């Protein structure tokens, strides 16, 4: 093993660890000291969760690292000492060595109350840290619209570039116009200055969807250092489906009579209502207000078995809660919907 040297760049009076990443791996040894900080700051604020703290001995050996789990607090970091049984190898600190700390790749000032000194096996010191850096981000690659089918999971990738001065880390959040389920990258994705990070957004398309629809996904990728720094955009998921079912397509028939929730809901002024028929039936749709008074009746006529979609226009109705009741032969079902104007 060779001795590791810390490389630094000087920017605006602050030293930046090369590439924003710890230089050299921490080598655990049979001796260590514990260090912690209860009031550590970054850009004048409590150090955010996900931040990375690195410790080095005077010869540049990377002898301790920690990912912040609680805002403003770090540790206990095991900062390893030099293994006396390893000849000509420097794994860490020796008694009385002054330690150097980096916070998110930025050289940190030590604020005490204890001295940043390695004082031997089993010791515990509190050394609070402070550092600062410009936090900036730009979009490197944004996703495009995608086609999907009911039941699909559509994954969108978003790549951002860290144009700031220190190590940063990112997460994505997203919503869909129709309120479909969203999953995003579970953990922070890290990038040093000038580097790129890619996060993903999964959109779960409902299985019980029997009509074509476009759903807008609004997403944001936010800095873990400063949540006021982010990029945001949107994409569209085009859900496509064939609802043409002939009387001879018995293998494609639904398993039973079913009325589905209208879509979108709430709506203004029109909405789609989907339902399944297993036998040819005379179908009617009635709409009632919250007092139980019927405000609309649609005679849909004789309809073949299969999946069907109709569009209900509520332009003549006032905003409020309504109930729609579908009758098909001997089958009846009712659901609630909301009209917002």
């Amino acid at each position: 093993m060779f001795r590791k040297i810390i490389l630094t760049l000087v920017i605006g009076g602050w030293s930046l660890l090369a590439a924003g990443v710890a230089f050299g791996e921490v080598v655990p040894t049979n001796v260590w000291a514990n260090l912690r900080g209860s009031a550590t700051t970054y850009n004048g604020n409590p150090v955010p969760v996900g931040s990375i703290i690195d410790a080095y001995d005077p010869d540049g050996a990377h002898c301790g690292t920690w990912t912040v789990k609680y805002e403003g607090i770090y540790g206990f970091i095991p900062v390893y000492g030099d293994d006396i049984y390893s000849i000509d190898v420097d794994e860490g600190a020796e008694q009385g060595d002054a330690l150097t700390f980096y916070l998110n790749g930025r050289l940190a000032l030590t604020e005490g109350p204890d001295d940043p000194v390695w004082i031997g096996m089993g010791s515990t010191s509190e050394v609070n840290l402070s550092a600062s850096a410009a936090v900036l981000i730009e979009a490197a690659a944004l996703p495009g619209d995608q086609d999907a089918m009911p039941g699909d999971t559509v994954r969108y990738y978003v790549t951002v570039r860290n144009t700031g001065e220190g190590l940063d880390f990112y997460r994505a959040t997203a919503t869909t116009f129709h309120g479909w389920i969203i999953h995003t990258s579970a953990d922070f994705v890290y990038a040093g200055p000038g580097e790129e990070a890619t996060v993903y957004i999964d959109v779960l398309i409902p299985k019980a969807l029997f009509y074509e629809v476009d759903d807008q996904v609004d997403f944001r990728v936010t800095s873990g250092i400063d949540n006021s720094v982010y990029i945001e955009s949107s994409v569209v998921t085009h859900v496509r489906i064939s609802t043409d079912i002939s009387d001879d397509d018995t293998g494609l028939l639904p398993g039973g009579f079913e009325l589905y929730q209208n879509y979108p809901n709430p709506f203004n002024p029109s909405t789609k209502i989907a339902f399944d028929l297993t036998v040819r039936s005379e179908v009617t749709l009635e709409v009632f207000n919250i007092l139980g008074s019927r405000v609309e009746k649609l005679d849909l006529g004789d309809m073949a078995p299969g999946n069907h979609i109709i569009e209900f226009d509520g332009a003549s109705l006032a905003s409020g809660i309504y109930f729609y009741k579908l009758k098909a032969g001997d089958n009846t079902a009712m659901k609630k919907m909301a009209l917002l104007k």
Side-chain angles (χ1 to χ4, degrees):
M1 185 182 302
F2 58 88
R3 180 164 296 187
K4 305 174 184 70
I5 305 297
I6 299 176
L7 303 180
T8 60
L9 302 173
V10 177
I11 299 179
W14 290 87
S15 293
L16 172 66
L17 195 60
V21 180
F23 186 75
E25 296 294 328
V26 174
V27 179
T29 68
N30 56 357
V31 289
W32 66 89
N34 292 314
L35 279 90
R36 64 183 293 270
S38 59
T40 289
T41 62
Y42 196 74
N43 284 348
N45 299 309
V47 62
V49 174
S51 295
I52 294 179
I53 295 171
D54 294 290
Y56 293 83
D57 77 0
D59 295 318
H62 186 198
C63 51
T65 189
W66 186 263
T67 300
V68 173
K69 298 175 176 61
Y70 303 98
E71 186 177 84
I73 299 171
Y74 79 86
F76 295 94
I77 301 179
V79 177
Y80 294 99
D82 193 22
D83 184 350
I84 61 174
Y85 300 106
S86 299
I87 302 173
D88 297 328
V89 176
D90 179 19
E91 297 101 342
E94 298 179 359
Q95 186 78 28
D97 277 352
L99 300 171
T100 300
F101 293 90
Y102 284 80
L103 177 50
N104 292 326
R106 303 287 288 180
L107 181 63
L109 298 178
T110 56
E111 309 287 350
D114 296 326
D115 293 328
V117 173
W118 198 85
I119 54 176
M121 175 63 184
S123 63
T124 299
S125 300
E126 180 171 355
V127 181
N128 287 302
L129 309 172
S130 65
S132 65
V135 181
L136 299 168
I137 183 177
E138 68 179 18
L142 297 180
D145 300 347
Q146 292 193 50
D147 293 332
M149 297 288 289
D152 285 351
T153 296
V154 182
R155 174 162 291 188
Y156 293 100
Y157 290 99
V158 186
T159 301
V160 297
R161 183 176 297 108
N162 178 2
T163 54
E165 296 176 334
L167 184 71
D168 206 344
F169 40 96
Y170 309 97
R171 273 183 178 160
T173 55
T175 58
T176 77
F177 178 79
H178 294 300
W180 293 344
I181 295 173
I182 294 283
H183 292 159
T184 60
S185 307
D187 298 319
F188 287 123
V189 182
Y190 289 79
E195 295 180 341
E196 296 179 355
T198 299
V199 298
Y200 67 81
I201 300 158
D202 285 345
V203 181
L204 281 63
I205 312 301
K207 292 182 179 179
L209 196 59
F210 299 107
Y211 48 90
E212 295 188 350
V213 65
D214 290 342
D215 184 65
Q216 180 168 305
V217 182
D218 298 311
F219 62 84
R220 175 181 290 188
V221 179
T222 305
S223 161
I225 299 294
D226 183 348
N227 61 17
S228 70
V229 177
Y230 56 84
I231 64 100
E232 59 183 358
S233 188
S234 62
V235 289
V236 175
T237 307
H238 305 286
V239 181
R240 299 294 177 249
I241 185 171
S242 173
T243 59
D244 296 329
I245 300 177
S246 71
D247 291 338
D248 295 331
D249 291 331
T250 55
L252 300 177
L253 291 178
F257 169 78
E258 187 160 0
L259 174 65
Y260 294 97
Q261 187 65 51
N262 65 300
Y263 196 81
N265 186 42
F267 66 98
N268 177 28
S270 64
T271 187
K272 290 181 173 64
I273 297 172
F275 54 93
D276 294 345
L277 301 179
T278 56
V279 296
R280 182 175 290 277
S281 306
E282 287 288 333
V283 182
T284 59
L285 179 74
E286 296 177 290
V287 179
F288 301 86
N289 63 20
I290 195 71
L291 300 177
S293 300
R294 189 174 70 190
V295 295
E296 199 76 61
K297 180 179 180 180
L298 301 177
D299 290 313
L300 303 178
D302 183 52
M303 304 187 76
N307 309 121
H308 298 274
I309 305 165
I310 64 167
E311 185 160 348
F312 174 74
D313 187 352
S316 63
L317 302 178
S319 295
I321 301 297
Y322 293 88
F323 298 88
Y324 58 100
K325 178 181 178 182
L326 187 81
K327 183 176 182 182
D330 296 330
N331 296 303
T332 302
M334 180 180 288
K335 288 190 178 292
K336 183 170 66 174
M337 60 183 177
L339 173 61
L340 295 179
K341 291 186 173 179

